[in-house]
Amino acid sequence: MFSRPTSSSMAFPKKKLQGLVAATITPMTENGEINFSVIGQYVDYLVKEQGVKNIFVNGTTGEGLSLSISERRQVAEEWVTKGKDKLDQVVIHVGALSLKESQELAQHAAEIGADGIAVIAPFFLKPWTKDILINFLKEVAAAAPALPFYYYHIPALTGVKIRAEELLDGIQDKIPTFQGLKFSDTDLLDFGQCVDQNRQQQFAFLFGVDEQLLSALVMGATGAVGRPAETKNRNKFCIQRFINFVVKLGFGVSQTKAIMTLVSGIPMGPPRLPLQKASREFTDSAEAKLKSLDFLSFTDLKDGSLEASS
């Protein structure tokens, strides 16, 4: 068992996690191996080109649950190392089906100097009540008692339908390190109640559904964890126009990798099986739309870079 966090053991960052938090992609080669060589370039792109200094590593966009435990540790280490003195906060997603694996990843995140950890609900043998889910989360949080802990609410993928509002009720009594929520669901009523019922706690309410971000901001979201894209100094409705376009084409992790290759010039590669590469048709359509909206500042992509994610 891991020791319980106490107020004296907690050393939280001075800055609250808020604003835009980039859900990082895990770059891969054509053979499905992690391409660690471009992560340093990726950090510089986020900081210098996008003005983003907070990241969320090994989440859905990062294909965290398609990576081995060893790979997840390596990816986390690379982001922390390359982000040193450049990034403000590196939050590592450590959720797994196994409690022991989640605890191992949480402890590792603390050891390498991450700034926080996040956890999804286990989704094969599922927790069906709030108390059972909190018991699981509490054990993971205890493995990294000095790190802020965030719950990653994404019921469409986990199948765990426990409302976030219900989960947050009294959660700090059980998990003293709890600092906020990554809310990746379309139930804006649930999200609004999370904000309304917890105003005194100063939690971070990070919204994770790009298509509904403007609505969530109105309801009190303190930030967004989203797909990294060409967003700096862009009109929010212009960004929505592009998101609406690609959603109609079919938009997921594979397509996000293709788009990031286009806008950043960094080869993100294909996703790992069982996901498939974005089609050439999608890539060509997205590129044309990006150009029409004047989103593409990197216009001299080599054919090889495009091919890696199309």
Side-chain angles (χ1 to χ4, degrees), residues 12-225:
F12 290 170
K14 294 178 181 178
K15 291 181 66 176
K16 180 179 178 180
L17 185 61
Q18 60 186 356
L20 184 60
V21 182
T24 59
I25 290 166
T26 299
M28 292 186 183
T29 67
E30 279 298 307
N31 296 323
E33 299 300 319
I34 298 171
N35 186 3
F36 292 102
S37 67
V38 301
I39 290 181
Q41 183 184 358
Y42 194 173
V43 170
D44 289 340
Y45 170 76
L46 290 174
V47 173
K48 296 177 182 178
E49 300 297 325
Q50 296 300 306
V52 175
K53 293 190 175 184
N54 299 318
I55 62 171
F56 187 88
V57 177
N58 286 338
T60 305
T61 301
E63 301 175 80
L65 288 160
S66 293
L67 308 180
S68 69
I69 296 301
S70 174
E71 287 175 323
R72 291 176 70 173
R73 290 166 61 106
Q74 288 178 276
V75 170
E77 287 175 20
E78 192 71 9
W79 277 104
V80 170
T81 300
K82 292 295 192 293
K84 184 174 174 59
D85 299 324
K86 296 180 179 180
L87 297 171
D88 288 340
Q89 294 196 48
V90 178
V91 176
I92 309 295
H93 172 243
V94 301
L97 297 183
S98 161
L99 172 61
K100 293 299 182 183
E101 288 182 349
S102 278
Q103 290 176 316
E104 176 189 332
L105 290 168
Q107 191 170 41
H108 175 258
E111 290 169 354
I112 64 175
D115 301 288
I117 56 173
V119 178
I120 58 169
F123 54 87
F124 185 69
L125 298 177
K126 298 179 178 68
W128 291 112
T129 69
K130 166 190 169 178
D131 289 341
I132 294 171
L133 177 54
I134 284 184
N135 284 340
F136 178 88
L137 300 176
K138 179 174 65 175
E139 293 297 327
V140 179
L147 291 185
F149 180 88
Y150 302 92
Y151 175 57
Y152 182 3
H153 181 66
I154 185 165
L157 291 185
T158 64
V160 176
K161 305 297 185 181
I162 299 165
R163 288 172 63 83
E165 174 206 356
E166 180 185 357
L167 186 76
L168 263 56
D169 184 19
I171 193 170
Q172 276 193 326
D173 295 335
K174 301 290 182 64
I175 307 174
T177 54
F178 181 84
Q179 290 293 294
L181 174 75
K182 179 183 186 290
F183 190 98
S184 295
D185 189 29
T186 57
D187 186 347
L188 288 173
L189 176 60
D190 188 20
F191 180 73
Q193 288 302 298
C194 288
V195 175
D196 186 50
Q197 300 299 322
N198 295 278
R199 294 184 186 277
Q200 301 303 315
Q201 281 81 358
Q202 297 297 305
F203 292 151
F205 293 107
L206 307 170
F207 199 72
V209 181
D210 295 344
E211 299 90 322
Q212 292 185 326
L213 177 57
L214 293 183
S215 299
L217 290 171
V218 171
M219 300 185 78
T222 59
V225 181

Side-chain angles (χ1 to χ4, degrees), residues 288-304:
K289 188 66 173 178
L290 286 165
K291 286 180 177 176
S292 75
L293 295 171
D294 196 28
F295 268 34
L296 285 183
S297 57
F298 189 94
T299 56
D300 297 320
L301 281 174
K302 296 179 181 178
D303 291 341

